[in-house]
Amino acid sequence: MKKSIYTSALALLLTGTLVTGCDDFLEETNRQAISIPSSRENSESFVQLVNYIYEITRENTTHYQPDMLYVLEDLGTDIVTRASPLTGTDAINDYVDLNASNYVLQVYWSNQYKQIAAANTLLANADLIEGVEESLKNRGVGEAKFFRAWSYFNLVENYGGVPIVTEPITTAQSDFLRDEEQEVYELIVSDLNDAINAVDENPEEFGRVSKDAARHLLSKVLLTRGYKSFAASDDYTRAIALAETVIDNHPLEPTFADVVDIENQRNDEVVFSFLFGTETSSLGWGNTKHLLYKFEYFNYPGLARGSLYQNGIARMPTPFFFNMFDEEDTRNDETLRYVIYADVAEDGIEVGDTAIYFPKTAWSQERIDSKPYAVINADQYLVNDGVTNTHWPMFKKFDDPGAPFTYANERAFGDRDMVIMRGAEAYLIAAEAALQNNNPGAAATYLNAVRSRAGITTPLTAGDVDLALILNERARELIGEVNRWMDLKRTGTLISRVLEYNPHAALNNAIAEKHLLRPIPQSEIDASGQTISQNPGY
């Protein structure tokens, strides 16, 4: 992709993003923007408006505060927990004292409405900017609607009904009201249908929104709506049809190793990615996925802070996740690093020797004591060993060798693509929709395609398929790639699976029905003059 998709010379006039506090409502002067009227005289302004939507969405996806990276996507689920011994409490993971003043929830809300504001600015001015070719305009409008739909999908699933804003807000406004969840879904579906009709089938630039990206998102939206009281009768059927089109156009790579190979990032299975690259003008904050699910390995002999294993961001897979893989499932060794090799000579360990080993089957203490390196059995992952609080087979699925060692509040500088959608998930969406549509045989067929690619030789039959199996398959295939919290919420299994499989949340036993929605940020309620209502129980 040309770097211009992520570099915007135009500072947009986005004065009303619904997400700000009272001080921002009173802001009268924007000293960093040119006016929309003057920019309408330059057709390049349209391209810059489109580019900004990509830029802000990518940055909001990867650039959080130190304790916020992806926490509303995976933390507090069945497969990801906090990286600490079994003590203490946490608002997001343990659901203890999760309240409307939680900073993570405020920033997430804010980010989604910033993306919506960027899309609304383009949509309001698309017909007014002079000299824009019709095909370019149609495509840009479709891209804006795709991203707006995506943001509203995130909002409605996390918070329930939210204020629908479809026009730029250019004057002080605070009296917002929450629209019904059903109305938000109607806008999402409408926007995605428009996007499918408007964007390119096969964009010339890799990384642009394609018809299949819009189809993929719509299939997930319809699958999700299918569980709700206001579902359309054909939601599951349409979800399957859309997913099948994506499957046809994005066949599975031959092996899972091919999927995660950094030298094979832009393969046919990829439906949509955020791109970064090495140029400062296009890199932005950088891709942070290589920081996921890693611990402070560098405190062990033979290891140092470096650019091979890199630092982590204080979250770990649950014991349940580590036990999910069959012996023949190749995704296990392609996802997790069971051996960490020394990168410095220290304490009798030479460079290249084993520094830490995580046996899949527990070793005896006698065997552990006979080794010059650290050996950590699975039952010790959450036990402080005097070196680190917690330790586990680190993720290698998103490795970005050469990216510098950084902490979570620093630019990550990761430059590998961030894959957001790929064909394997289309199979899993189709499988879940088929099961909900009372066709477990078709569900088994979709699942077998993904499982056989992972090296699993025994096929599933219709009688094997249930929702738990599909959720487990989504975990093995897609951990770190999709929003697990939304998966569990959609399927009505969040509470039960968190209590069964998340050890810290189970310890505190605080998750309840109210947690199926996040609290509306108190700052938004206050800024609206109390016209925005709070979710029940908060």
Side-chain angles (χ1 to χ4, degrees):
M1 179 196 292
K2 297 177 182 177
K3 64 180 182 179
S4 61
I5 292 181
Y6 296 114
T7 55
S8 175
L10 178 65
L12 299 180
L13 186 63
L14 299 174
T15 56
T17 57
L18 181 64
V19 301
T20 52
C22 295
D23 290 342
D24 292 308
F25 285 134
L26 299 176
E27 183 180 346
E28 296 179 357
T29 304
N30 186 338
R31 302 187 186 278
Q32 296 182 329
I34 63 174
S35 69
I36 288 294
S38 64
S39 69
R40 288 173 183 156
E41 299 171 2
N42 181 3
S43 61
E44 183 63 20
S45 298
F46 182 85
V47 175
Q48 293 171 330
L49 286 166
V50 175
N51 291 354
Y52 183 75
I53 301 171
Y54 279 89
E55 182 180 1
I56 190 174
T57 306
R58 184 192 68 170
E59 290 298 288
N60 286 345
T61 301
T62 191
H63 178 188
Y64 280 23
Q65 300 297 320
D67 59 343
M68 292 178 58
L69 280 156
Y70 314 110
V71 295
L72 297 190
E73 284 79 20
D74 59 14
L75 193 62
T77 67
D78 55 342
I79 60 173
V80 177
T81 188
R82 55 186 167 95
S84 64
L86 286 176
T87 59
T89 63
D90 180 81
I92 301 297
N93 185 76
D94 302 2
Y95 301 88
V96 174
D97 196 27
L98 181 64
N99 60 64
S101 296
N102 187 285
Y103 184 59
V104 174
L105 302 176
Q106 295 174 26
V107 174
Y108 191 81
W109 173 288
S110 174
N111 284 349
Q112 301 308 315
Y113 273 110
K114 286 176 183 176
Q115 294 161 198
I116 290 166
N120 286 344
T121 299
L122 180 138
L123 294 172
N125 289 278
D127 290 331
L128 302 176
I129 299 175
E130 299 173 4
V132 182
E133 292 182 5
E134 195 69 18
S135 59
L136 176 61
K137 180 172 69 175
N138 290 339
R139 186 188 76 189
V141 166
E143 290 169 315
K145 289 191 173 184
F146 168 86
F147 285 114
R148 184 170 73 177
W150 190 1
S151 289
Y152 272 119
F153 186 43
N154 290 333
L155 285 167
V156 75
E157 281 304 292
N158 276 278
Y159 301 100
V162 294
I164 293 175
V165 182
T166 57
E167 298 288 339
I169 302 169
T170 57
T171 60
Q173 184 175 340
S174 61
D175 56 341
F176 295 99
L177 296 172
R178 296 178 65 178
D179 290 279
E180 294 294 326
E181 189 175 344
Q182 181 173 356
E183 296 174 288
V184 181
Y185 264 90
E186 288 170 357
L187 174 64
I188 294 168
V189 172
S190 175
D191 272 356
L192 289 174
N193 282 327
D194 289 347
I196 290 170
N197 291 328
V199 300
D200 293 341
E201 185 75 59
N202 297 296
E204 293 182 5
E205 295 174 305
F206 192 93
R208 281 204 177 275
V209 174
S210 65
K211 289 187 186 297
D212 279 333
R215 289 173 182 132
H216 186 94
L217 181 54
L218 181 56
S219 69
K220 186 183 286 189
V221 167
L222 294 175
L223 171 64
T224 306
R225 190 173 70 173
Y227 285 88
K228 299 182 183 294
S229 61
F230 51 83
S233 60
D234 62 347
D235 275 348
Y236 293 134
T237 302
R238 287 186 64 201
I240 294 168
L242 289 161
E244 285 184 337
T245 300
V246 174
I247 288 168
D248 289 343
N249 295 335
H250 297 273
L252 298 178
E253 286 292 286
T255 69
F256 193 74
D258 294 323
V259 173
V260 300
D261 185 355
I262 195 171
E263 302 299 327
N264 187 43
Q265 299 179 64
R266 301 182 184 180
N267 56 70
D268 289 342
E269 185 173 334
V270 174
V271 179
F272 180 68
S273 293
F274 283 126
L275 313 186
F276 292 87
T278 57
E279 295 187 32
T280 302
S281 60
S282 63
L283 179 62
W285 187 261
N287 187 350
T288 51
K289 287 280 181 155
H290 62 281
L291 304 179
L292 280 175
Y293 319 129
K294 296 181 177 180
F295 65 96
E296 293 184 341
Y297 64 90
F298 45 81
N299 290 323
Y300 289 82
L303 296 167
R305 293 175 173 88
S307 62
L308 177 59
Y309 301 124
Q310 298 144 337
N311 194 28
I313 53 175
R315 279 198 302 291
M316 66 178 292
T318 61
F320 171 63
F321 178 78
F322 290 115
N323 290 318
M324 291 184 76
F325 297 92
D326 294 336
E327 185 175 350
E328 60 185 350
D329 193 333
T330 60
R331 292 172 297 191
N332 192 354
D333 288 327
E334 295 300 332
T335 300
L336 299 165
R337 177 177 282 107
Y338 288 91
V339 183
I340 301 177
Y341 294 103
D343 49 13
V344 295
E346 185 179 11
D347 292 353
I349 297 175
E350 300 297 326
V351 174
D353 288 350
T354 297
I356 310 176
Y357 180 61
F358 298 91
K360 295 178 183 177
T361 302
W363 284 15
S364 68
Q365 190 60 48
E366 180 181 10
R367 187 178 182 187
I368 291 173
D369 292 341
S370 71
K371 302 300 179 183
Y373 49 84
V375 178
I376 303 172
N377 285 329
D379 64 354
Q380 297 300 300
Y381 291 173
L382 291 166
V383 178
N384 188 326
D385 64 355
V387 181
T388 57
N389 275 334
T390 51
H391 25 257
W392 61 89
M394 296 200 300
F395 249 52
K396 65 178 184 179
K397 182 178 182 180
F398 306 125
D399 273 1
D400 196 353
F405 182 97
T406 61
Y407 291 96
N409 60 339
E410 301 171 337
R411 288 183 65 187
F413 293 104
D415 60 13
R416 76 178 289 168
D417 295 351
M418 182 187 290
V419 177
I420 301 296
M421 303 173 184
R422 57 185 175 90
E425 191 190 12
Y427 278 95
L428 295 167
I429 289 171
E432 187 178 332
L435 178 65
Q436 295 304 108
N437 217 24
N438 298 313
N439 192 347
T445 299
Y446 292 124
L447 292 168
N448 284 331
V450 176
R451 289 164 60 85
S452 63
R453 194 265 295 275
I456 300 173
T457 55
T458 303
L460 298 170
T461 65
D464 296 321
V465 180
D466 58 17
L467 203 53
L469 185 144
I470 291 174
L471 286 170
N472 291 350
E473 200 59 45
R474 287 186 67 86
R476 287 184 284 263
E477 182 74 24
L478 299 170
I479 183 172
E481 298 181 54
V482 300
N483 191 310
R484 182 64 172 184
W485 189 91
M486 286 171 62
D487 287 346
L488 300 186
K489 182 201 169 179
R490 174 182 71 246
T491 55
T493 61
L494 177 66
I495 296 173
S496 61
R497 288 181 73 100
V498 165
L499 289 176
E500 185 171 2
Y501 300 125
N502 186 307
H504 297 89
L507 174 71
N508 285 289
N509 196 29
I511 188 171
E513 195 73 19
K514 72 175 186 178
H515 295 122
L516 297 176
L517 292 176
R518 320 279 195 181
I520 304 294
Q522 190 61 45
S523 58
E524 300 307 318
I525 295 174
D526 294 342
S528 73
Q530 310 299 311
T531 61
I532 294 179
S533 59
Q534 184 55 271
N535 282 323
Y538 293 104

Coordinates of all heavy atoms in Angstrom, one line a residue, residues 256-293:
F256 N -1.0 -23.5 9.0 CA -1.1 -22.3 10.0 C 0.3 -21.6 10.1 O 0.3 -20.4 10.3 CB -1.5 -22.8 11.4 CG -1.9 -21.7 12.3 CD1 -3.1 -21.1 12.1 CD2 -1.1 -21.4 13.3 CE1 -3.5 -20.1 13.0 CE2 -1.5 -20.3 14.2 CZ -2.7 -19.7 14.0
A257 N 1.3 -22.3 9.9 CA 2.6 -21.7 9.9 C 2.7 -20.6 8.8 O 3.3 -19.5 8.9 CB 3.8 -22.7 9.7
D258 N 2.1 -20.9 7.6 CA 2.0 -19.9 6.5 C 1.3 -18.7 6.9 O 1.6 -17.6 6.5 CB 1.4 -20.5 5.3 CG 2.2 -21.6 4.7 OD1 3.5 -21.5 4.7 OD2 1.6 -22.6 4.2
V259 N 0.2 -18.9 7.8 CA -0.6 -17.8 8.2 C 0.2 -16.8 9.0 O 0.0 -15.5 8.9 CB -1.8 -18.3 9.0 CG1 -2.6 -17.1 9.6 CG2 -2.7 -19.1 8.1
V260 N 1.0 -17.3 9.9 CA 1.7 -16.4 10.9 C 3.1 -16.0 10.5 O 3.8 -15.3 11.2 CB 1.7 -17.0 12.3 CG1 0.3 -17.3 12.8 CG2 2.5 -18.4 12.3
D261 N 3.5 -16.5 9.3 CA 4.9 -16.2 8.8 C 5.0 -14.8 8.5 O 4.3 -14.3 7.6 CB 5.1 -17.1 7.6 CG 6.6 -17.0 7.1 OD1 7.3 -16.1 7.6 OD2 6.9 -17.7 6.1
I262 N 5.9 -14.1 9.1 CA 6.1 -12.6 8.9 C 6.5 -12.4 7.4 O 6.4 -11.3 6.9 CB 7.1 -12.0 9.9 CG1 7.0 -10.5 9.9 CG2 8.5 -12.5 9.6 CD1 7.8 -9.9 11.0
E263 N 7.1 -13.4 6.8 CA 7.5 -13.2 5.4 C 6.3 -13.5 4.4 O 6.5 -13.4 3.2 CB 8.6 -14.2 5.0 CG 9.9 -14.0 5.9 CD 10.5 -12.6 5.7 OE1 10.4 -12.0 4.6 OE2 11.0 -12.1 6.8
N264 N 5.2 -13.8 5.0 CA 4.0 -14.1 4.1 C 2.7 -13.4 4.6 O 1.6 -13.9 4.6 CB 3.7 -15.6 4.2 CG 2.7 -16.1 3.3 OD1 2.6 -15.7 2.1 ND2 1.8 -17.0 3.7
Q265 N 2.9 -12.1 5.0 CA 1.9 -11.4 5.6 C 0.7 -11.1 4.7 O -0.5 -11.0 5.1 CB 2.4 -10.0 6.2 CG 3.5 -10.2 7.2 CD 4.0 -8.8 7.7 OE1 3.2 -8.1 8.3 NE2 5.2 -8.5 7.4
R266 N 1.0 -10.8 3.5 CA -0.1 -10.4 2.5 C -0.5 -11.5 1.6 O -0.3 -11.5 0.4 CB 0.4 -9.1 1.8 CG 0.8 -8.0 2.7 CD 1.2 -6.7 2.1 NE 1.6 -5.8 3.1 CZ 2.0 -4.6 2.9 NH1 2.2 -4.1 1.6 NH2 2.4 -3.8 3.9
N267 N -1.0 -12.5 2.3 CA -1.4 -13.7 1.5 C -2.9 -13.7 1.2 O -3.6 -12.8 1.6 CB -1.1 -15.0 2.4 CG -1.7 -14.9 3.7 OD1 -3.0 -15.0 3.9 ND2 -0.9 -14.7 4.8
D268 N -3.4 -14.6 0.4 CA -4.8 -14.6 -0.1 C -5.8 -14.8 1.0 O -6.9 -14.3 0.9 CB -5.0 -15.8 -1.1 CG -4.2 -15.5 -2.4 OD1 -3.9 -14.4 -2.7 OD2 -4.0 -16.5 -3.1
E269 N -5.4 -15.4 2.2 CA -6.4 -15.5 3.3 C -6.7 -14.2 3.9 O -7.8 -14.1 4.5 CB -5.8 -16.5 4.3 CG -6.8 -16.9 5.4 CD -6.3 -18.0 6.3 OE1 -5.4 -18.8 5.9 OE2 -6.7 -18.0 7.5
V270 N -5.9 -13.2 3.9 CA -6.1 -12.0 4.5 C -7.2 -11.2 3.8 O -7.2 -11.0 2.6 CB -4.8 -11.1 4.6 CG1 -5.1 -9.7 5.1 CG2 -3.7 -11.8 5.4
V271 N -8.2 -10.8 4.6 CA -9.3 -10.0 4.1 C -9.1 -8.5 4.3 O -9.3 -7.7 3.5 CB -10.6 -10.4 4.8 CG1 -11.8 -9.6 4.3 CG2 -10.9 -11.9 4.6
F272 N -8.6 -8.1 5.5 CA -8.3 -6.7 5.8 C -7.2 -6.6 6.8 O -7.2 -7.4 7.8 CB -9.5 -6.0 6.3 CG -9.3 -4.5 6.6 CD1 -9.0 -3.6 5.6 CD2 -9.3 -4.1 7.9 CE1 -8.7 -2.3 5.8 CE2 -9.0 -2.7 8.2 CZ -8.8 -1.8 7.1
S273 N -6.2 -5.8 6.6 CA -5.1 -5.5 7.5 C -4.9 -4.0 7.7 O -5.2 -3.2 6.8 CB -3.8 -6.1 7.0 OG -3.8 -7.5 7.0
F274 N -4.4 -3.6 8.9 CA -3.8 -2.3 9.0 C -2.3 -2.5 8.7 O -1.7 -3.4 9.2 CB -4.0 -1.8 10.5 CG -5.4 -1.3 10.8 CD1 -6.1 -1.7 11.8 CD2 -6.0 -0.3 9.9 CE1 -7.4 -1.3 12.1 CE2 -7.2 0.2 10.2 CZ -7.9 -0.3 11.3
L275 N -1.8 -1.6 8.0 CA -0.4 -1.6 7.6 C 0.4 -0.6 8.3 O -0.1 0.5 8.7 CB -0.3 -1.4 6.1 CG -1.2 -2.2 5.2 CD1 -0.8 -2.0 3.7 CD2 -1.2 -3.7 5.5
F276 N 1.7 -0.8 8.5 CA 2.5 0.1 9.2 C 3.8 0.5 8.4 O 3.9 1.6 8.0 CB 2.9 -0.5 10.6 CG 1.8 -0.6 11.5 CD1 0.9 -1.7 11.5 CD2 1.5 0.5 12.4 CE1 -0.2 -1.8 12.3 CE2 0.4 0.4 13.2 CZ -0.4 -0.7 13.2
G277 N 4.6 -0.4 8.1 CA 5.8 -0.1 7.3 C 6.9 0.6 8.2 O 6.7 0.9 9.3
T278 N 8.1 0.8 7.6 CA 9.2 1.3 8.4 C 9.4 2.8 8.3 O 10.2 3.3 9.0 CB 10.5 0.6 7.9 OG1 10.6 0.8 6.5 CG2 10.4 -0.9 8.2
E279 N 8.7 3.4 7.4 CA 8.9 4.9 7.3 C 8.2 5.6 8.4 O 7.1 5.3 8.7 CB 8.4 5.4 5.9 CG 9.1 4.8 4.7 CD 8.7 5.5 3.4 OE1 8.3 6.6 3.5 OE2 8.7 4.8 2.4
T280 N 8.9 6.6 9.0 CA 8.4 7.3 10.1 C 7.0 8.0 9.8 O 6.1 8.0 10.6 CB 9.3 8.4 10.6 OG1 10.6 7.8 10.9 CG2 8.8 9.1 11.8
S281 N 6.9 8.4 8.5 CA 5.7 9.2 8.2 C 4.5 8.2 8.1 O 3.3 8.7 8.2 CB 5.9 9.8 6.8 OG 6.1 8.8 5.8
S282 N 4.7 6.9 8.0 CA 3.5 6.0 7.9 C 3.4 5.1 9.1 O 2.4 4.5 9.3 CB 3.6 5.2 6.6 OG 4.8 4.3 6.6
L283 N 4.5 5.0 9.9 CA 4.5 4.0 11.0 C 3.6 4.4 12.1 O 2.9 3.6 12.8 CB 5.9 3.8 11.5 CG 6.1 2.9 12.7 CD1 5.7 1.5 12.3 CD2 7.6 2.9 13.1
G284 N 3.5 5.7 12.4 CA 2.7 6.2 13.6 C 3.2 5.6 14.9 O 4.4 5.5 15.1
W285 N 2.3 5.1 15.7 CA 2.7 4.6 17.0 C 3.4 3.2 16.8 O 4.3 2.8 17.6 CB 1.5 4.4 17.9 CG 1.8 4.0 19.3 CD1 1.7 2.7 19.8 CD2 2.3 4.8 20.4 NE1 2.1 2.7 21.1 CE2 2.4 3.9 21.5 CE3 2.5 6.1 20.5 CZ2 2.8 4.4 22.8 CZ3 2.9 6.6 21.8 CH2 3.1 5.7 22.9
G286 N 3.1 2.5 15.7 CA 3.6 1.2 15.4 C 2.6 0.1 15.9 O 1.8 0.3 16.8
N287 N 2.7 -1.0 15.3 CA 1.9 -2.2 15.6 C 2.4 -2.7 17.0 O 3.6 -3.0 17.2 CB 2.1 -3.3 14.6 CG 1.2 -4.4 14.8 OD1 0.5 -4.6 15.8 ND2 1.1 -5.3 13.8
T288 N 1.5 -2.9 17.9 CA 1.8 -3.4 19.3 C 1.5 -4.8 19.5 O 1.7 -5.3 20.6 CB 1.1 -2.5 20.3 OG1 -0.3 -2.5 20.0 CG2 1.6 -1.1 20.4
K289 N 1.1 -5.5 18.5 CA 0.6 -6.9 18.7 C 1.8 -7.8 19.2 O 1.5 -8.8 19.9 CB 0.0 -7.5 17.5 CG -1.4 -6.9 17.1 CD -2.5 -7.6 17.9 CE -3.8 -7.1 17.5 NZ -4.9 -8.0 17.7
H290 N 3.0 -7.5 18.8 CA 4.1 -8.4 19.3 C 4.4 -8.3 20.8 O 5.1 -9.0 21.3 CB 5.4 -8.0 18.5 CG 5.9 -6.6 18.8 ND1 5.3 -5.5 18.1 CD2 6.9 -6.1 19.5 CE1 5.9 -4.4 18.5 NE2 6.9 -4.7 19.4
L291 N 3.7 -7.3 21.4 CA 3.8 -7.2 22.9 C 2.8 -8.1 23.7 O 2.9 -8.2 24.9 CB 3.6 -5.8 23.3 CG 4.5 -4.7 22.7 CD1 4.1 -3.3 23.2 CD2 5.9 -5.0 22.9
L292 N 1.9 -8.7 23.0 CA 0.8 -9.4 23.6 C 1.3 -10.7 24.3 O 2.1 -11.5 23.6 CB -0.3 -9.8 22.7 CG -1.3 -8.6 22.3 CD1 -2.3 -9.1 21.3 CD2 -2.1 -8.2 23.6
Y293 N 0.9 -11.0 25.5 CA 1.0 -12.3 26.2 C 2.5 -12.7 26.4 O 2.9 -13.8 26.1 CB 0.3 -13.4 25.4 CG -1.1 -13.0 24.9 CD1 -1.4 -13.2 23.6 CD2 -2.0 -12.3 25.7 CE1 -2.7 -12.8 23.1 CE2 -3.2 -11.9 25.2 CZ -3.6 -12.2 23.9 OH -4.8 -11.8 23.4

